[in-house]
Amino acid sequence: MPTEPDRRVLDPGTDTAALKALTHPLRIRLLGLLRQLGAATASELAVRTGESSASTSYHLRVLARHGFIAEAEHRDARERRWQAVHALTSWDEARMNDSEAARAFVDTIRRAQLDHLERTVTAHAADAAAGRVGADWLEASGMTDLMLRMTPESLRELEEVFTRTAHALAARDADDPRAEQTAVFAAGFRMPDAPGDPGDPDAAAGTGDGTAVGTGDGASGGQDGPAAGRRSDAEDAR
């Protein structure tokens, strides 16, 4: 089975400074762009983000100081190029609830993921309306929200199966010329039963089981999300 990409596992007990460094929306986006696009300069990333070169340069240096990125091979001596050190950032979700700093980090990451989702859906809708998305991608793309009754163990297993399957399929498609950059999102959270109607999944506002887990073709707008995992453990972090 193909292995998952290299990841940085953050420990709330020992990585306090790194957590704080990544609790910044622009740094999260810069890291995501480097993971998506490969090596880039502060000026190139400034164009992509609408920020000044001075701002992106500063935040890139902070990311480098905490081991998220490193200098890449330079095309010339005038400007630094940066590259991501890892393909994914992950953590143990339960341990992130132990301190205010860790909770702030998770909140920032989740907001960045939601922002990434919104940009992806908006870009995909614009591309589809303009005729830039083929019928095969239109059929495969979409979102779903399911209301299921599960144990914590089953939810954890679902996440592991989903992640393992996604990486296996991506590895299978690596050399296929039809493969394109896709943004895939997954989430699972406990939701209390609706008051007065315990156990009824429809009462908790589930909207059905549309297509499969949503993907996007990334034709415009750029899939520059944080590439963050919900949790990890020693085995996951191999």
Side-chain angles (χ1 to χ4, degrees):
M1 182 183 68
T3 59
E4 293 184 33
D6 291 337
R7 64 172 68 195
R8 168 81 177 272
V9 182
L10 295 175
D11 185 324
T14 59
D15 293 324
T16 304
L19 288 172
K20 186 175 181 180
L22 206 56
T23 308
H24 191 289
L26 180 56
R27 290 174 200 159
I28 294 171
R29 193 172 183 197
L30 292 172
L31 180 57
L33 281 167
L34 290 175
R35 287 172 172 170
Q36 177 210 345
L37 302 174
T41 66
S43 296
E44 291 167 344
L45 293 169
V47 172
R48 293 293 298 243
T49 60
E51 299 285 335
S52 68
S53 295
S55 177
T56 56
S57 179
Y58 167 76
H59 289 295
L60 287 167
R61 291 196 301 272
V62 174
L63 289 172
R65 189 183 312 137
H66 294 282
F68 292 103
I69 67 174
E71 287 193 45
E73 182 178 351
H74 303 316
R75 292 176 180 171
D76 58 55
R78 291 176 298 175
E79 196 164 22
R80 288 180 174 178
R81 295 181 64 77
W82 299 96
Q83 62 185 6
V85 175
H86 309 93
L88 185 70
T89 305
S90 61
W91 57 86
D92 184 316
E93 187 79 7
R95 293 192 62 200
M96 286 295 185
N97 198 45
D98 293 342
S99 73
E100 183 176 350
R103 289 192 297 270
F105 164 79
V106 172
D107 181 66
T108 301
I109 289 290
R110 285 178 178 163
R111 291 178 187 277
Q113 289 172 318
L114 289 172
D115 181 57
H116 181 208
L117 172 60
E118 183 177 10
R119 290 198 308 272
T120 299
V121 172
T122 299
H124 178 74
D127 288 343
R132 293 191 292 265
V133 184
D136 52 347
W137 280 107
L138 286 174
E139 184 176 0
S141 302
M143 295 177 64
T144 185
D145 57 331
L146 303 176
M147 298 302 298
L148 307 171
R149 298 192 69 80
M150 305 177 74
T151 63
E153 294 78 17
S154 292
L155 182 58
R156 175 69 183 262
E157 182 179 349
L158 176 60
E159 181 194 12
E160 292 171 348
V161 170
F162 168 82
T163 302
R164 183 167 61 249
T165 302
H167 287 303
L169 292 173
R172 185 188 69 183
D173 293 346
D175 298 324
D176 191 323
R178 297 177 302 118
E180 297 190 41
Q181 183 76 35
T182 61
V184 182
F185 300 86
F189 298 97
R190 171 190 172 275
M191 290 189 64
D193 292 321
D197 198 4
D200 181 358
D202 294 329
T207 60
D209 59 349
T211 61
V213 173
T215 62
D217 68 332
S220 70
Q223 308 309 325
D224 54 355
R230 275 180 67 228
R231 56 167 75 88
S232 72
D233 54 28
E235 182 179 355
D236 290 339
R238 59 187 176 276

